[in-house]
Amino acid sequence: MNLPDSSRIGRKFPLGFFPTPLHALQNLTEKYPGYKLYMKRDDHTGLATGGNKTRKLEYLVQEALDQGCDTLVTAGAQQSNHCRQAAAASVQARLECHLLLRGSKPETVNGNLLLSTLMGAHTHYCGEDIEEEDVRQVMDDLRRRGRKPYYTPIGGSTLTGSLGYVDAMKELKEQMTGQKLPIDTIFFASSSGGTQAGMLLGKAVHGIDARLMPVNIDKSGVSTHGSLEDAVLVIANEGAEAMGLSKHFTPEDVKLVDGYGDAGYGVVTEKDRSIIWELASTEGIFLDPVYTARAFYAMTDMLKTGQIKPGANVLFWHTGGTTANFHYYNELSGR
Ligand SMILES: *Cc1c(COP(=O)(O)O)cnc(C)c1O
């Protein structure tokens, strides 16, 4: 039988170490009676320290190579984990890497930006917002220099990138079977939407019942290109059609867990600091202040307030970003 599958519509350039571990959070489970807590370690995908963008970049980089491109262009915040992993992926695939970054050139280069720079990525500072015009300019300049650039947007959140998380759900299913571990609920951070869209598709393709809890790490409803929910819905339905899934996703399927990101993107709050401290000091595992801290806080809050069915096996999908802690050291050290 020819099952709908990501391999029908994309190919991978291997960049990471898979499967990533899935393990119990023993100490933390004691603090949340009535639940069993687990973690999926995509902070350990292995590419330049790891993170969720590794899975997306495997498909994106292969698409770039298949199109005969020799340069990868992408965009993000100065401390973007996606940009750091895109720089590493480019090194591995021998592509020239160009990063369009928000803001102006910083006085000190640290955290993810330091790592991207060490990997030879070229940086372009675009001011307050990265506009289509900025992208076009960089692409045109590269073409004038005789390069063949491939562009993937912020977070690599296209259908191609999302395929990495369709596969990730298959990986999870195999681990659930192997460990005889039925997962009921999956918490994770959602921001540009590709991870969420891929998980949603992967759930349908691979027949997984677990409930997705995508935590919006930014202010509700904020996005330059429509809402995050709309972006997820578009990618998921595009994927369903391309893979021949007899499924149409509705707004109900892409609902975000809202209200935990109201401080705004990249603003490190006391809650972010304290939840990073809580996990680090109970399990020796580091969250990041921009994404996973907010998602993890949402999970603990919903457990404490009984919003998750008692007795549930709850999985936190760690999407990486720990290198950003080295940029936010002032906020995190409590000064
Ligand atoms: C990019 C990122 C996310 C969000 O993934 P999207 O696919 O952009 O929604 C979550 N966590 C970390 C650490 C990230 O770098």
Side-chain angles (χ1 to χ4, degrees):
M1 195 170 58
N2 199 359
L3 287 168
D5 195 303
S6 43
S7 64
R8 271 218 233 163
I9 54 171
R11 298 198 306 138
K12 276 196 258 200
F13 183 93
L15 291 169
F17 302 128
F18 301 111
T20 57
L22 165 61
H23 63 85
L25 296 173
Q26 302 283 11
N27 296 342
L28 200 75
T29 289
E30 285 180 26
K31 290 177 121 188
Y32 295 87
Y35 298 104
K36 289 219 171 68
L37 305 181
Y38 298 87
M39 192 178 271
K40 176 80 173 145
R41 302 300 298 273
D42 277 11
D43 55 329
H44 283 270
T45 57
L47 181 68
T49 80
N52 62 338
K53 305 311 182 304
T54 306
R55 293 187 192 269
K56 297 176 174 184
L57 284 160
E58 290 197 317
Y59 278 101
L60 294 167
V61 161
Q62 187 60 51
E63 187 170 82
L65 295 173
D66 287 345
Q67 292 176 7
C69 295
D70 58 14
T71 303
L72 181 70
V73 181
T74 194
Q78 293 196 2
Q79 284 301 319
S80 162
N81 302 302
H82 167 64
C83 288
R84 183 226 328 137
Q85 289 163 91
S90 301
V91 169
Q92 296 238 330
R94 303 189 192 191
L95 300 167
E96 191 173 292
C97 182
H98 287 259
L99 304 175
L100 282 76
L101 303 174
R102 269 191 215 111
S104 50
K105 196 175 188 325
E107 258 170 50
T108 50
V109 167
N110 57 25
N112 283 316
L113 183 55
L114 171 63
L115 301 184
S116 299
T117 309
L118 288 172
M119 291 183 280
H122 302 262
T123 49
H124 306 262
Y125 293 95
C126 302
E128 197 77 341
D129 227 336
I130 301 161
E131 312 276 358
E132 264 166 53
E133 179 55 29
D134 297 316
V135 177
R136 197 167 55 232
Q137 234 174 48
V138 169
M139 296 291 278
D140 285 349
D141 282 350
L142 284 166
R143 287 192 193 102
R144 263 196 296 277
R145 278 180 36 216
R147 312 284 315 178
K148 286 184 116 184
Y150 172 92
Y151 175 70
T152 189
I154 289 182
S157 284
T158 59
L159 172 58
T160 303
S162 293
L163 295 179
Y165 271 87
V166 178
D167 296 348
M169 291 304 274
K170 183 176 181 205
E171 183 180 304
L172 174 69
K173 190 179 182 182
E174 285 164 3
Q175 288 176 317
M176 284 165 58
T177 307
Q179 299 183 25
K180 297 191 173 55
L181 174 63
I183 294 292
D184 301 300
T185 308
I186 303 172
F187 279 90
F188 62 100
S190 192
S191 174
S192 66
T195 302
Q196 186 183 343
M199 284 187 185
L200 195 60
L201 279 165
K203 230 172 80 82
V205 169
H206 300 294
I208 299 168
D209 289 332
R211 178 166 173 220
L212 296 183
M213 301 294 273
V215 179
N216 186 0
I217 59 93
D218 204 342
K219 295 182 184 113
S220 325
V222 169
S223 170
T224 37
H225 313 284
S227 78
L228 173 53
E229 271 130 334
D230 289 345
V232 176
L233 198 56
V234 167
I235 299 173
N237 279 323
E238 196 189 337
E241 192 173 336
M243 281 189 278
L245 263 184
S246 56
K247 176 142 185 93
H248 187 79
F249 295 103
T250 65
E252 196 56 38
D253 296 317
V254 298
K255 273 233 166 87
L256 295 163
V257 177
D258 256 318
Y260 292 98
D262 289 340
Y265 181 93
V267 179
V268 180
T269 66
E270 177 51 28
K271 273 183 190 161
D272 298 325
R273 192 191 71 81
S274 68
I275 198 70
I276 288 174
W277 178 86
E278 180 175 344
L279 185 66
S281 61
T282 47
E283 295 282 350
I285 296 171
F286 292 104
L287 298 166
D288 82 287
V290 181
Y291 301 93
T292 52
R294 298 224 165 134
F296 202 86
Y297 180 88
M299 178 182 80
T300 56
D301 187 54
M302 291 183 81
L303 293 176
K304 277 181 194 156
T305 52
Q307 293 178 66
I308 303 298
K309 185 172 58 105
N313 290 330
V314 180
L315 180 77
F316 183 78
W317 202 309
H318 196 321
T319 45
T322 50
T323 40
N325 285 315
F326 298 113
H327 171 76
Y328 295 100
Y329 59 91
N330 273 327
E331 293 90 330
L332 294 172
S333 57
R335 257 176 256 155

